[in-house]
Structure formats: C-alpha cells, structure tokens
Amino acid sequence: ALESKFGEEYALLFVFNMRTAIELHRAWHMTLLTSKILQSVKDRFGLRMTWNLGVIRLKFRVEDGGFELHRKVPYDYDSEFQDLYMRIATALIQDRITVHEALIFQTDVKEGRHTARSGLFLRDFPGRLVVYPALAATCAVIFFGGDWVDAGVAAICGVATGLFEYALVTIGGEAKILIDLFAGMITGIIGALFYRFNGETYCLSAIFLGTLYWYFYGTAFVIGILEIITGELETGVTRFMAVSIKTFVLCLSASFGMLLTLEAPADVWKDQTSNCNQIQLGNMWWRIPLYLACSASALAQYRFRVVEYWRGLAVQLVGYEVQYQVAQFFVERSASEKDNLDTMASNLIGMACAVIAACILSKLIDFFQNRYYGQLLQRDTHRYDTDSKIDDCVFALYTCKVKFFSAVKIGRREELDKIELERKLKQETDELRDPNHPREEVKLEEKEENLLLDTIVNAESVNIWAMLMPTVYQLVPGSIIAKLWFSVIFPPDLIETERLIEGTNYTYFTYTLDYANENIYANLMVVATSLALGLIVGFAFVQSVEYLATAFAWWESDEMKEDRKKELNMRKGMYTMAKDSSDDPEEKESKLSTVMEEKEDGGEEDDEEAEGDDFEEESPAQEESPVTST
C-alpha cells in the first residue's frame, strides 16, 4: 500500500526505520536514543509515521495512525549490533548509502557477516558458556565480599546455569520462560550443597549474587529511572517494575533451592554472613586487575567487539576507580552512617566521569578513524601526495593493528581486504588521471562493492552508548535489588537492647529494626537515581563544552562547526525525549513541504549520484577520479 501510494523508496524507508527500531531496541533498550535516531530518519526523508517504544512491545503507526504494526522484542544486549545499526542509520541520513544498501547491510549484520570469528564464538552457545563462570567468579570476589573458594563455587554454578539456559534456549518456545526459575534454583541447590557437606565456611550471598549477576538487569533499572526523569513515565515505570519482579523471581528461586537442600535455610542465611568480607580489597594489589577481568567478562556478555575491548575497559576503569576513590574519601572524612550522601556523591561523580571519558575517547577515535578511512575511501588527499606525516603514521598504526588482530585470529579478514582495496583504488585512480594511460574508469567487482559498503558504514562516528553501556552495567544496582528481596525472604532479626529503669534495679528490653539491613530500598533508590543523574550531568557537561567550543572556535570552518552541531543533536537523545514534529502541526507541514521540495529539486540527479560510489562525494578533488562498479 505504501509503495503504490508514495513510491518504492518511501516504502523501503519506512521498513528501514521499523527494522532499525526493532534491532536497536533488542540490542540496548535505550528508548530515548532509539527514538532520536528514528526521528532523525523521519525528519530527513519526510516519513509520515509515529511509534511507541515500550519495554517489550513496539508499536508503529502508518500515516498518523491509519494502520498500526506491533512487534514484541525481548530483552537482550548487543553492543556490536547497536553500534552497527546506528552507523547504518547515520550513513543513510548523510546520503552516503542508499536505502537499498542500508537494508541489505542490516540483513548482513543480523546474519553475522560483519562479525569477527571471535565475536561469533562469544555471541551464542556453545561458545558463550565460557563467559558464565568467568563473570560469576570475578563478581563474587570484587563486588560481593567472597573469597577465592567462593569464587570457585560461583564458577561451578555459572557453568550449571549456562548449561541449563543453553538447553532451554535450544528447546525454544515457552521453555525460555523457565530460564530465570532454573537459574536461581540451580544456584541455590549447588551453593547450599557445598555449604552443608563441605564445611559451613562459604559466603552464600557472594555465590548467589555473583552467579545471578548475569540475570540482573540493573542497566534497565537505571534506564527506567532515566526515562521517568526525562518524561517517559509509562515506559520508565513499567521497566522499573519489570526489572524488580524479574529479580524477585531469581531470588525466590535461589531460596527455594536452599529449601530443597538445607533443613533451616533462614538460619543458614543469617549465619553465612559471618563468612563474607574476609578480604580487604582496598589493601590488595590485584583489586584493579581483578576488576578488569570482571569487566572483560561483562564485555563478552554484552557482545562487545573483542578487538575493541580496550575501549570498554578504559571507560569501565574510570567509572569504577572514581566511584571507589570518592567513596573512600567520604568514609575517611566522616564516620557517620546515618545518611546516603556519600553513596550519592560517589555514584554520581563516578558515572559522570565515565560519560566524560567515553566522550573524550570517542573524539580521539573519530579523529584517527576519519584519517584512516579517509585514505581507504579516497576522501582526502592521499598520504603519498602530501608532505604531512600524520596520515602516514595513522595509516601505518591502523594497518599494524589490523594485521596483528588478524594474525591472532580475533579480527575480521575483511579489514585486511580493505587495505588491499585501497592500494588497488590508488593505483587505478592514478592511471585514470594519467592522460597517457588507456584506462577510462575504475571498476569494482561484487565482492569489492560489498567491501566498499562495509568501509563506508564503519567510517561513521563511534556510538558512545555502545561503549558506555557495559560501564553502566558494572555500576548499576542490580545486586542491591537482589539484597532487598533476600531481606524480604529472610527478614533480619530485630536488635535487642537491655535498658535499666531509673531508680530501680529492674531492666527491660527494647527491639528496634536493624537500620543497615532494613534500609536497603532507600540505598537502592539513592544508587539508581544518582547513576541516572550522573548520566545526565556527564552528557550535559560534554554538550556545554562543545557548545562553547563551537561558539568561540573562530579558526574552524563552517563545515566543521556544522558537523559538531549534528553530533550534538544526535547526543541529545542520550538523556532527553526526541522532539516530534507531529507535536506541532504547522512545523510538521512546513518541514514536510521542505523535504518534498528538496526531492523535486534534486530529481534525477540525486538518483544518479546514489548509484555511484559514495566516497567520491566527500571532497571536490574526488570528482576528478570517477570510480564505477560493475
């Protein structure tokens, strides 16, 4: 219907926007940023569509509600996919690729054709099984007060839960609903068996929380708070409740596993606390290396590109260390435990510093990446034709990196092929410019066309949220939610105090709540909200600095300032709701008419340019070296 009414390209753009929403939502569940990307595509091409991105269910409305499509998208996190899908959308918005190429590239991404073998191994079972014990063991020690023996038991529980999840996923269908139930119950049974038959020296809370950390959607909890703050109340509250109930199911299942194994699980839960926090992490030299090992496991869980682990680890280390040092500062400054201001400050500052670190790192990566891909795509003056050595150094550095990762079998073979393609393009372009050479055009084979499209998409700017999300995952309070539910299942004892009646020899007893154990919900809200505010403060600070740089950088060209404004506009979706022109009918009509006029003015000339190779449009110098494809 859309094709017959508006044409094939309009219909494909609608499909592209819907697929982008589905895959981005599956990869990160960041509704604010996803809406911003969809709105950018909608405004660029004048699409008449609206959407509602819920926690699980997505709704797409055609022609302002004339027809509605529903899609159900489960929770899953995929850093590589969210990065690629955002780059595809950005390349389409900037007219570097056509909508046909964008849809084909999306299909290839989903089928794993743009993922390295190392990523394919960790992306799904059975290779993914190696990540479960690594994350469980390291989390048990670095976060939850366990020792190395507890880490070993947590690793065993991790293997068991991974195998059960593998089996249920293989069965498929309604069996997937049982994943949380079996994960919690198996963890409770194994941990309780070790506690009962191998000496009562284990910290069960560290074992349980370390193993179930994989299933705690703490990131979604912070995103829910962020959505509530920014005005997405329905989605935020729904996400908040969904994560809380999911965590309660895990805790209840683990407790049931204890019930099947132990005679008095409530007494055991209270007694095992004396076995926790036996290691003073602050005095251990291996605290940071262990945290980095835990972070690497989290990056594997989030399907981060293996060759880019160093980026994620750098941002994770900044967030963790700032959070730790600020917390230590407040502990040394004041011994008061009657407030949560130190918790609020450490989490807010740590999260804000992580955001700033991610933005700075993305700027540096973009700087070097633009020079490297500028050479691959022949966008800039070739390094052999200039006196500057910067491009030579950058290209040599990237070439060494590509060859190293390819040699150790964790990189993509296509990255090596891109270097070979660059040499071919340089040689044949020089021949084309030589008036004495018979060459009339540069032709690309089908494989080289696909390689060129891959290069164009990956040349887009780094997705900051894809790099930042694992850090949020490491700082979020998923485990605090679990502690809250465990305190509900196993209520802490009242504090008994004996007091003397004045003027007599008689005494009486008073019973008060244990503040440290009863105030978990307050601590949970303080941590979650402060992390959400840290995200906002961090991005607001970066935006303010970039706005000032744009305003006072008189030496920069208008083109550079325009590029920075586009980046700023895209980054707003990190913590604000996307502005929809449908909210203002007059603005909507004017924007739609402007887009239609641009299409009419562009006419057939734009269509012809879209069929050529996109790297030629970046620089006027490239007009002299036409490259066509067979």
Side-chain angles (χ1 to χ4, degrees), residues 77 118-140 151 154-163 165-166 210-215 292-304 306 309 316 470 473-474:
Y77 293 121
S118 57
L120 293 175
F121 176 77
L122 297 173
R123 175 170 295 282
D124 209 344
F125 295 108
R128 200 160 175 76
L129 287 173
V130 302
V131 186
Y132 285 77
L135 185 67
T138 52
C139 284
I156 296 173
C157 293
V159 173
T161 55
L163 289 172
E165 183 176 348
Y166 183 17
T211 305
L212 299 179
Y213 192 83
W214 182 285
Y215 303 93
L292 292 177
C294 181
S295 299
S297 303
L299 292 177
Q301 180 188 0
Y302 270 60
R303 300 179 174 94
F304 210 86
V306 178
Y309 269 22
Q316 287 171 312
Y473 174 61
Q474 292 290 87

Side-chain angles (χ1 to χ4, degrees), residues 67 88 107 114 188 258 307 326 332 376 433 445 461 516 573 599:
F67 187 76
I88 297 170
T107 303
H114 297 278
M258 293 178 62
V307 297
V326 172
E332 295 173 1
L376 291 180
R433 291 173 177 173
E445 302 298 331
S461 297
K599 288 185 177 181

